[in-house]
Amino acid sequence: MNAHRRDVIGRADGTVLEIKDLEVTFTTDAGEVPAVRGVGFEVAAGEVVAVVGESGSGKSVTARTILGLLAETAVARGAVVLKGSNMLTLGARELRAVRGDEVSMVFQEPSTALNPVYTVGWQIAEGIRAHGKVGRKEAKARAIEVLRKVGIPEPEKRVNYYPHQFSGGQKQRVIIAAALALNPALIVADEPTTALDVTVQAEILELLREVRDDFNTGIVLITHNMGVVADLADRVVVMYQGKIVESAPSSELFAAPREDYTKALLAAVPHLGRHSASEGMVERSGQGKEVLVEARNLSIVYPGRLGTPSFTAVDDVSLHICAGEVYGLVGESGSGKTTIGRAIAGLNKVSAGSLKVFGYEMLDFRERTFKKLRQDIGFVFQDPAASFNPQLSIGECVAEPLLVHKALDARAARRRVDELLEAVQLPAAFAARFPHELSGGQRQRASLARALALDPKLLIADEPTSALDVSVQAKVLELFKELQAELGFAALFISHDLAVVDMLSTWVGVLYRGKLVEEGIGNQVMGDPQHPYTRRLIASLPVPDPVEQALRREAFLKAV
Amino acid sequence: MATTTPTALGARKPLWTRLPIVSHYRMSAGLQRGMLVAGLVLSAVFLLTALLAPVLAPFGFSQLSDAQGNFPTQEPPGDKFLWGTTVSGFDVYSRTLWGAQTAVAVIVVAVVFSIFLGVILGLISGYIGGWLDRVLVVLADAIYAFPSLLLAIVMSIVISQGQSSLWGGIMAAAISITVVFIPQYFRVIRAETVRLKAEPFVESAKVVGASNVRIMAKHIFRNATRSLPLIFTLNASEALLTLAGLGFLGFGIEPTKAAEWGFDLNRALSDASSGIWWTGVFPGAAIVLTVLGLTLVGESMNDLADPRLRMRRKAKRRGGKATA
């Protein structure tokens, strides 16, 4: 960036953004719904303000209002003053002039925020050329420059690459580069790391920190992840139901939250190393008990289509799950953890090696012969919204396993459903409701009830809480723990979140690109990881405590 | 977007408000509501005419004489013959009204047949997959590749074999339309089934151990058929056009068995050049208005079912300004 441009960013008063009494109302089929109610905060140059809150708190709507990106059905009032101009009253042409130049945005999903049919260089240059007369060559030169700044290796070559030639983390870097191209005073980052793996997340957070320090850019960080907040934010704004609950400097908020809501929110965040399920254990809990699932040199290959090579999702994995223990399987996306879970449930075919489920060899899988064993396996899916048939009531959904496996009459099934709902702490009246009438947490409880309907010996939980808000997640995990202790089923708990896995499982396996790199008692794996990948994984996980996180960050940067 | 829509947690809305057209009407606004209402009115007039034809029509559809003797031919519109008479002496007004009845019968039979077969084939093909799926898809594509009217003509010759009684004619027309429409329902249901097959709730049923038939009947069928009312309305107008086309080309129903607009138009061809307008205009207008009405209903339902296309009443603006 040239010197002239740097001067343009007026930092005289230091305040880049000022939001006053912002109210946003949506018109929906159910009438008017207020999404943001009287929100106000300021962002200074070179400051990272994190807006945190659970889904529905209005944080994303607030962020979009800053760029003047609101749905047609929304009406906003109040003031969003960006460097002296009110974004709510600007016309379309003025808005276009401001976007990119003064404020830009980093989106949640890097793979959809880039246009797949243009090179990344073209997409960055497009923004540059939209503001002021810049030649094609010069725009490209500047695109290369920003790509270098965000740490893309060989930017001269990569500038001509298409988005699919980059990894997820690199794509997010490209998006940040595009956001930086005109050196805006403010960057709005809406969940910039939610779609990324935790090791990549650490790198992107580091990059955002550099952007703040090097360009003195103000950053509004929208996130639900308190670890990310602790890592990056200078100041935190906590939102709940469209209102600001608390606003404080980061260190203050984490050390001494004032409001009850903030306290509860922070308490619900799982913290690696606290409440470990395997605390004080020296021996595997299922040692010597019956082995329910045994994988020996298991490989699962997804066959390629014509012209594309096949993909090995699980590569030579050996593990076993004993009766009554919770086996935690962690790994990043693409590590094969879900594939293993699905193979045990007979949803995926096994390619090589051996996978024995209750002694049944899954290599010779036949639905007819396996059906009997299905009643001993419960499965909890990741997305509670999609795992219920929208046309059936919760009661009917929970009763489904009973009707399939046991010839129960309607009244007996009904009684059992009531018992199950009570076990997962849902009122019996919920049986008559339909899935869309329940909240995410309630649906996941119902999902648990369905999985436990036949008293299975093994429960497979595939990221059961990753779609839930932290406070809801805490309650569901608590329930899961109680039920497991009470009913004594074995569980395969699959998650990408190390802290969650540590809270629940006594025995942990770490998967990396289809291989099981480490296995052991939970607190030992987390406390003293042996494999370099596990070490990197654990070091990159941000903890919800700014002071501790600063230390961990230094250790992580040293390690990389 | 972090918006919440408050869902009524209490009892479900009463059944009648969830019925296809009623629920569409309730969420419509502005121009979209106008289109829907116009379509509904035209369609209602069409259905009522069909229902009340015996009461409304002064003469039968094949009546050529009454107590005062034979009807005159090519009589211009007047007191006795409201819309005039045709070259064969039929009363245009009566035949246009009776024609609605034939049209309704053909549309209902054709659409019901094609829905049944299309849905069953689509479910099986989409869920089972494999070679059966491939064969059925190729077959459906092959039928698609034929000009639909040509296919309908061939079918009507094969089915009716020259005879054309009332129900024989209606069935021939309906079945030939069915053959043309089955691929449409088949494709829609198959595509939905393939999508739903990968949904977690279907996988969940699989994990539970439900049989294929149970999964198809209980879990997929009800979710896959939600777009049917929409195709139904759009196809109804197309069925009517195919019927009229068949009649116009002379493959329809004999005038003595039932009134049929396409046939009447065909007979009006030679009249048009000699200044006799009434024999062609009225059946033609009946076809146009009915198709327009059905299409308006179908298109409105299509737009209303998609939240992105649906118009909403604007929130009241108080100060500030909305930016899109």
Side-chain angles (χ1 to χ4, degrees):
Chain A
M1 294 296 119
N2 52 39
H4 166 69
R5 195 149 264 298
R6 291 212 160 188
D7 289 343
V8 170
I9 298 172
R11 290 169 188 141
D13 58 355
T15 304
V16 215
L17 173 76
E18 195 182 356
I19 298 181
K20 269 188 259 171
D21 304 321
L22 178 68
E23 302 208 1
V24 181
T25 306
F26 282 88
T27 317
T28 67
D29 295 332
E32 290 185 17
V33 178
V36 178
R37 303 187 282 182
V39 162
F41 59 88
E42 289 178 9
V43 183
E47 186 187 36
V48 177
V49 175
V51 181
V52 291
E54 308 197 316
S55 51
S57 62
K59 55 187 194 302
S60 278
V61 178
T62 308
R64 284 171 171 271
T65 319
I66 298 172
L67 282 107
L69 292 171
L70 271 185
E72 270 178 56
T73 50
V75 172
R77 61 195 177 116
V80 178
V81 182
L82 182 82
K83 300 206 52 226
S85 48
N86 187 351
M87 298 293 281
L88 297 184
T89 53
L90 289 185
R93 181 196 290 265
E94 296 153 310
L95 264 179
R96 270 204 298 278
V98 172
R99 285 184 199 147
D101 206 20
E102 304 276 15
V103 57
S104 56
M105 183 146 181
V106 176
F107 294 91
Q108 173 172 358
E109 185 63 68
S111 41
T112 53
L114 289 170
N115 188 335
V117 299
Y118 291 108
T119 62
V120 294
W122 187 92
Q123 295 182 55
I124 297 173
E126 186 190 27
I128 297 172
R129 283 162 62 86
H131 297 271
K133 280 206 170 106
V134 181
R136 198 162 296 185
K137 265 203 181 132
E138 199 199 329
K140 191 165 177 182
R142 274 164 65 179
I144 293 171
E145 196 189 334
V146 283
L147 282 176
R148 183 176 292 120
K149 275 186 193 140
V150 296
I152 299 277
E154 297 181 85
E156 293 84 357
K157 213 170 102 194
R158 309 288 293 266
V159 73
N160 293 324
Y161 278 20
Y162 288 89
H164 71 267
Q165 291 166 296
F166 292 89
S167 69
Q170 280 177 326
K171 269 185 242 175
Q172 195 62 301
R173 278 173 192 271
V174 169
I175 289 171
I176 293 174
L180 277 177
L182 290 153
N183 196 10
L186 183 76
I187 290 182
V188 178
D190 188 359
E191 304 265 11
T193 59
T194 307
L196 305 174
D197 282 325
V198 59
T199 48
V200 181
Q201 163 173 296
E203 291 165 17
I204 295 294
L205 291 177
E206 192 52 38
L207 174 63
L208 285 172
R209 202 181 345 270
E210 280 166 20
V211 166
R212 174 194 62 185
D213 296 343
D214 297 353
F215 300 91
N216 205 25
T217 313
I219 297 179
V220 177
L221 175 73
I222 310 295
T223 185
H224 67 276
N225 186 334
M226 295 310 275
V228 169
V229 175
D231 190 54
L232 190 62
D234 300 309
R235 222 148 46 74
V236 185
V237 174
V238 183
M239 282 185 73
Y240 179 61
Q241 294 192 339
K243 287 182 183 151
I244 290 185
V245 178
E246 186 167 356
S247 169
S250 177
S251 50
E252 216 173 275
L253 185 101
F254 281 95
R258 284 194 313 269
E259 300 295 325
D260 289 341
Y261 176 74
T262 320
K263 282 179 200 159
L265 188 68
L266 287 173
V269 179
H271 192 134
L272 188 64
R274 294 184 195 162
H275 312 295
S276 174
S278 55
E279 219 164 313
M281 278 189 188
V282 286
E283 200 183 38
R284 186 170 182 173
S285 63
Q287 201 74 39
K289 287 198 188 142
E290 184 195 355
V291 174
L292 299 182
V293 176
E294 189 177 18
R296 250 194 232 135
N297 307 105
L298 171 70
S299 289
I300 298 173
V301 179
Y302 290 110
R305 297 230 160 175
L306 210 65
T308 53
S310 55
F311 174 72
T312 307
V314 177
D315 190 5
D316 201 19
V317 166
S318 299
L319 53 80
H320 62 274
I321 303 172
C322 306
E325 77 170 349
V326 181
Y327 191 115
L329 205 51
V330 285
E332 303 190 321
S333 55
S335 63
K337 53 188 191 306
T338 297
T339 308
I340 291 180
R342 290 171 57 92
I344 294 172
L347 287 172
N348 270 12
K349 282 212 170 77
V350 172
S351 313
S354 151
L355 175 64
K356 281 194 173 145
V357 180
F358 307 125
Y360 182 95
E361 179 53 74
M362 299 299 275
L363 265 181
D364 324 313
F365 177 82
R366 286 282 173 283
E367 183 62 50
R368 200 164 297 161
T369 47
F370 189 66
K371 191 178 169 181
K372 277 200 311 293
L373 296 172
R374 286 204 184 275
Q375 50 186 308
D376 287 330
I377 304 175
F379 204 110
V380 180
F381 288 85
Q382 172 170 7
D383 186 353
S387 63
F388 282 106
N389 185 340
Q391 303 283 328
L392 298 182
S393 73
I394 291 293
E396 287 173 289
C397 286
V398 174
E400 187 74 2
L402 301 169
L403 299 176
V404 167
H405 285 284
K406 296 191 173 157
L408 285 185
D409 61 276
R411 196 188 291 163
R414 176 76 220 218
R415 237 194 343 264
R416 179 78 182 122
V417 167
D418 287 350
E419 274 171 33
L420 285 163
L421 289 181
E422 196 191 72
V424 297
Q425 297 161 16
L426 284 177
F430 273 44
R433 292 197 184 169
F434 283 82
H436 70 272
E437 295 169 337
L438 268 62
S439 71
Q442 290 168 339
R443 275 194 287 245
Q444 205 56 306
R445 281 161 197 267
S447 180
L448 208 52
R450 175 175 60 183
L452 296 174
L454 295 165
D455 279 324
K457 288 188 204 150
L458 174 68
L459 182 76
I460 301 166
D462 184 6
E463 303 253 18
T465 59
S466 64
L468 304 176
D469 283 323
V470 272
S471 60
V472 180
Q473 162 175 298
K475 286 181 199 133
V476 171
L477 291 178
E478 192 57 37
L479 175 72
F480 185 92
K481 240 177 147 169
E482 276 171 23
L483 287 171
Q484 200 272 333
E486 196 184 307
L487 303 173
F489 51 83
L492 176 66
F493 191 89
I494 299 165
S495 179
H496 67 282
D497 191 330
L498 289 158
V500 168
V501 166
D502 189 37
M503 272 173 67
L504 282 180
S505 25
T506 49
W507 189 259
V508 173
V510 183
L511 277 174
Y512 178 56
R513 299 198 178 161
K515 285 194 189 321
L516 192 68
V517 294
E518 189 162 355
E519 210 186 4
I521 294 171
N523 58 11
Q524 286 177 7
V525 173
M526 305 293 170
D528 182 21
Q530 298 301 311
H531 193 274
Y533 170 72
T534 321
R535 256 181 250 154
R536 197 151 63 88
L537 191 66
I538 290 172
S540 57
L541 180 75
V543 294
D545 179 350
V547 185
E548 194 187 337
Q549 177 55 23
L551 295 174
R552 286 175 62 95
R553 185 166 62 229
E554 266 168 44
F556 172 70
L557 290 176
K558 233 177 264 168
V560 173
Chain B
M1 277 279 179
T3 50
T4 45
T5 354
T7 38
L9 280 180
R12 293 190 95 182
K13 286 183 199 156
L15 178 75
W16 69 274
T17 56
R18 285 185 283 121
L19 289 175
I21 286 170
V22 182
S23 70
H24 286 107
Y25 176 77
R26 289 169 67 90
M27 59 190 172
S28 63
L31 180 66
Q32 279 177 350
R33 175 170 280 196
M35 277 169 61
L36 179 66
V37 170
L40 284 175
V41 168
L42 284 171
S43 308
V45 167
F46 168 59
L47 286 175
L48 281 177
T49 313
L51 201 68
L52 301 176
V55 186
L56 293 175
F59 309 108
F61 50 81
S62 57
Q63 199 173 346
L64 287 168
S65 60
D66 59 6
Q68 291 139 38
N70 283 353
F71 292 163
T73 57
Q74 295 184 325
E75 171 100 350
D79 282 344
K80 188 172 176 193
F81 303 104
L82 241 61
W83 292 349
T85 59
T86 68
V87 68
S88 346
F90 292 124
D91 175 36
V92 176
Y93 178 61
S94 304
R95 272 189 73 83
T96 307
L97 294 184
W98 284 105
Q101 217 170 38
T102 316
V104 168
V106 170
I107 288 173
V108 168
V109 175
V111 174
V112 165
F113 274 11
S114 41
I115 280 185
F116 263 106
L117 286 167
V119 167
I120 290 171
L121 288 176
L123 270 177
I124 292 173
S125 174
Y127 189 75
I128 307 279
W131 63 268
L132 178 78
D133 182 40
R134 255 167 278 158
V135 168
L136 284 172
V137 168
V138 165
L139 224 84
D141 283 349
I143 293 179
Y144 247 134
F146 278 106
S148 58
L149 199 57
L150 183 67
L151 197 68
I153 290 170
V154 173
M155 291 318 291
S156 85
I157 294 171
V158 170
I159 293 161
S160 67
Q161 287 162 350
Q163 325 156 1
S164 56
S165 61
L166 169 62
W167 279 102
I170 288 177
M171 290 308 271
I175 290 173
S176 34
I177 293 166
T178 303
V179 174
V180 179
F181 282 160
I182 283 179
Q184 288 191 21
Y185 291 98
F186 168 78
R187 285 189 152 206
V188 170
I189 297 296
R190 179 185 166 275
E192 273 291 287
T193 308
V194 168
R195 183 183 70 80
L196 289 167
K197 200 166 77 164
E199 286 280 312
F201 72 83
V202 173
E203 291 198 322
S204 153
K206 260 190 230 167
V207 171
V208 159
S211 64
N212 283 346
V213 175
R214 186 181 174 87
I215 291 177
M216 273 192 269
K218 193 160 187 189
H219 296 284
I220 294 183
F221 172 71
R222 286 168 73 180
N223 286 295
T225 49
R226 276 188 298 181
S227 52
L228 279 189
L230 168 70
I231 324 174
F232 175 89
T233 359
L234 288 179
N235 273 359
S237 60
E238 232 180 293
L240 176 60
L241 284 178
T242 313
L243 173 71
L246 279 177
F248 185 78
L249 294 174
F251 294 95
I253 303 156
E254 293 269 306
T256 47
K257 307 292 184 197
E260 204 272 304
W261 297 332
F263 176 84
D264 289 354
L265 267 187
N266 175 306
R267 284 301 148 95
L269 260 186
S270 50
D271 298 345
S273 51
S274 45
I276 302 168
W277 53 270
W278 57 89
T279 52
V281 163
F282 293 109
I287 293 174
V288 169
L289 290 177
T290 310
V291 170
L292 181 70
L294 291 171
T295 312
L296 277 177
V297 174
E299 289 291 341
S300 309
M301 279 165 76
N302 190 20
D303 287 358
L304 290 169
D306 188 339
R308 285 164 305 177
L309 296 176
R310 195 191 313 152
M311 293 197 282
R312 294 188 179 84
R313 267 170 239 114
K314 283 268 174 201
K316 275 180 219 117
R317 292 184 177 204
R318 293 158 297 201
K321 192 181 171 189
T323 43

